[in-house]
Amino acid sequence: MFNRFQKLPSLLLCFALLAVAFPPQFYAQRRKAKALVYKELKLDLLIKGGTVIDGSLRAPVKTDIGIRGDRIVFVGKSTGKNIIAARTLDAAGMIIAPGFIDPHTHTLEDLSNPKLSGNENYLMQGVTTVITGNDGDGPFRVAETLDKWQRQGIGTNAALLVGHGAVRREILGMNDVQPSAEQLAEMKNLIARAITEGAFGMSTGLFYSPGSFAKTEEVVELAKSAAEEGGVYDTHMRDEGSYSIGLLGSVRETIRIGREAKIPVHISHVKALGTEVWGQSRQVVRLIRQARARGVKVTANQYPYTASGTNIIAALIPRWAEAGGTAQLLERIKDPQIRPRLIVEMEANLRRRNGPEAILITRSKDTQLVGKTLGAIVKEWKKSPVEAALDIAENGGAGIASFNMSEGDIDYFMKQDFVMTGSDGSAGHPRKYGTFPRKLREYVFEKKLITLPFAVRASTALTAETFRIPERGRLRVGYFADVIIFDPKTIADRATYQQPETLATGMKYVIVNGKIAVDEGKYTEILAGIPLRKTQR
Ligand SMILES: [Zn+2]
């Protein structure tokens, strides 16, 4: 009895020590940790065993991705965790990346056409979001277009830009005139309304008519209206070569628009067009870096091809001859008073584009011409190149690939951290089917000009940030599940100038908003994309 009472103080001391070493919080934490380990994580898709490149510049890491509904809900090692996935995708040997975002496309028509709205050519490149309405062409009735896409279904996500050219045409026609104060106010209203209806910004095509008729001051005023609604400014600049104000003059004009309108500016398909400006990529980059250092947000996109894609009228005929529209152009071509001046200026433009052998016809009503250079046509027709071009213009025009860029400039632009990938995909040019895989195959894996994380960022997160597209462009918990899984050994473009509509290879899975649009390399025809609407400033 007595002995037992004697032990009591030492027993109490033991309990006290235990309580200090393992306080109640310790048990609570352990219960929580156990719950985390054993709690079931239900997924629609588990992507396992691949190498993740998340859209930032972070080094590649072997990890797994979990998707539920339209969101990424898990990033990490899945082994040892209680994960139940409806489907598991084996990504061994594969690269897992955010779906690519293309800042410059001509998909407006394809997306509106139920037969082409799947955007298969883009999905097979790993593109899950396209921006369209570039070059000043985007419609100003934005809600109408977005609603139509929503009703009909689209294969990739799609965002719109309102076009300055479309707005100007609505208010001023195709005329070489300047707006009155009221007309300018009307144009500003159309732009502001388009952005409140969901456009992510405005685009200009100052090289093309009618955008070319606008003075810088007009563009600044309209860009202010876009800036107030939180939109960005995207431009096909007035001159990418030596046509009018020159490449550097155009970069300065773009920077001025950004500074005066207080709007982020984005140079589409940045290039040095024609031998006269080859090498100026260095000065262009210097101007952009200086502007960025002064706080103007300037970025650019680029496609990895030495030929641009345009039409023979835009490339060779001066803008004054187009004033008023096509009927007036055709009259001027026939007018014996005007024709000689036209020919002289067109000869200069042809030289700027590296001559008749550098112009390849890719589309024409006259299918005989397709696949031939202007040089080859001239030999058949026994005419001067410009006379032949005028004949083609009179017969409905033609789409062309214009070989006008140097590899040195392409490389230099690509290495810049503010340059993103953009296809500018148009009918007849391989870039519509090959841009993104080509950049990986040629410039990452073969030439090793840039690293894979750098190329992925330039095709995803950088684009989402620039165009202010929320919750896309990275592999991150809570983000939309736009995910691609590709084979680094086989990813490649297959489209050529001769066969431009050849799908790219190497995409094993393409997931759009959590749904599988490319499954084991095959297009599933699911329309999993959504029209994106700008909602916040
Ligand atoms: Zn363009």
Side-chain angles (χ1 to χ4, degrees), residues 330-409:
L330 295 177
E331 272 173 37
R332 288 186 188 109
I333 290 176
K334 285 198 183 77
D335 189 331
Q337 300 292 314
I338 298 176
R339 194 175 169 102
R341 180 182 161 202
L342 199 53
I343 285 175
V344 169
E345 291 195 28
M346 284 176 72
E347 276 166 355
N349 289 346
L350 185 60
R351 272 197 303 279
R352 292 187 172 104
R353 294 218 174 230
N354 301 351
E357 292 300 338
I359 305 274
L360 176 73
I361 310 288
T362 56
R363 264 176 308 145
S364 173
K365 265 201 299 197
D366 182 357
T367 50
Q368 296 274 309
L369 302 182
V370 176
K372 289 180 186 158
T373 63
L374 187 59
I377 292 167
V378 161
K379 277 180 203 134
E380 279 177 35
W381 291 2
K382 301 195 171 39
K383 282 189 171 182
S384 81
V386 163
E387 292 281 357
L390 281 171
D391 283 3
I392 296 169
E394 283 187 284
N395 290 309
I400 60 165
S402 162
F403 292 82
N404 58 47
M405 283 169 259
S406 78
E407 283 288 353
D409 287 319

Side-chain angles (χ1 to χ4, degrees), residues 104 135 236 269:
H104 190 122
D135 292 334
H236 178 148
H269 42 64

Side-chain angles (χ1 to χ4, degrees), residues 317-503:
I317 288 181
R319 287 301 94 86
W320 59 260
E322 278 192 284
T326 311
Q328 273 99 317
L329 169 65
L330 295 177
E331 272 173 37
R332 288 186 188 109
I333 290 176
K334 285 198 183 77
D335 189 331
Q337 300 292 314
I338 298 176
R339 194 175 169 102
R341 180 182 161 202
L342 199 53
I343 285 175
V344 169
E345 291 195 28
M346 284 176 72
E347 276 166 355
N349 289 346
L350 185 60
R351 272 197 303 279
R352 292 187 172 104
R353 294 218 174 230
N354 301 351
E357 292 300 338
I359 305 274
L360 176 73
I361 310 288
T362 56
R363 264 176 308 145
S364 173
K365 265 201 299 197
D366 182 357
T367 50
Q368 296 274 309
L369 302 182
V370 176
K372 289 180 186 158
T373 63
L374 187 59
I377 292 167
V378 161
K379 277 180 203 134
E380 279 177 35
W381 291 2
K382 301 195 171 39
K383 282 189 171 182
S384 81
V386 163
E387 292 281 357
L390 281 171
D391 283 3
I392 296 169
E394 283 187 284
N395 290 309
I400 60 165
S402 162
F403 292 82
N404 58 47
M405 283 169 259
S406 78
E407 283 288 353
D409 287 319
I410 292 175
D411 288 2
Y412 192 71
F413 283 130
M414 195 180 287
K415 286 188 289 187
Q416 308 307 318
D417 60 1
F418 56 82
V419 173
M420 53 209 84
T421 322
S423 71
D424 191 11
S426 55
H429 193 297
R431 64 194 183 187
K432 186 176 176 181
Y433 281 69
T435 290
F436 288 78
R438 180 180 175 83
K439 184 158 168 176
L440 297 177
R441 173 60 37 217
E442 294 256 332
Y443 295 86
V444 175
F445 297 125
E446 278 165 23
K447 279 167 87 172
K448 298 190 190 335
L449 181 78
I450 49 172
T451 67
L452 186 54
F454 187 89
V456 168
R457 172 184 169 270
S459 307
T460 57
L462 180 60
T463 319
E465 281 158 25
T466 302
F467 286 85
R468 298 171 169 168
I469 300 172
E471 299 173 304
R472 297 186 195 269
R474 282 175 196 260
L475 294 180
R476 198 184 259 181
V477 170
Y479 269 43
F480 283 99
D482 294 342
V483 185
I484 60 175
I485 300 161
F486 63 88
D487 186 343
K489 293 185 292 297
T490 60
I491 183 106
D493 57 310
R494 292 281 179 256
T496 61
Y497 293 99
Q498 287 70 37
Q499 305 279 333
E501 297 191 350
T502 315
L503 294 168

Side-chain angles (χ1 to χ4, degrees), residues 255-283:
I255 291 168
R256 178 184 158 197
I257 292 163
R259 188 179 60 239
E260 292 185 9
K262 297 188 175 56
I263 192 167
V265 292
H266 182 71
I267 298 171
S268 265
H269 42 64
V270 67
K271 65 169 77 73
L273 188 160
T275 43
E276 284 179 36
V277 294
W278 280 4
Q280 286 191 5
S281 53
R282 273 147 184 86
Q283 285 118 293

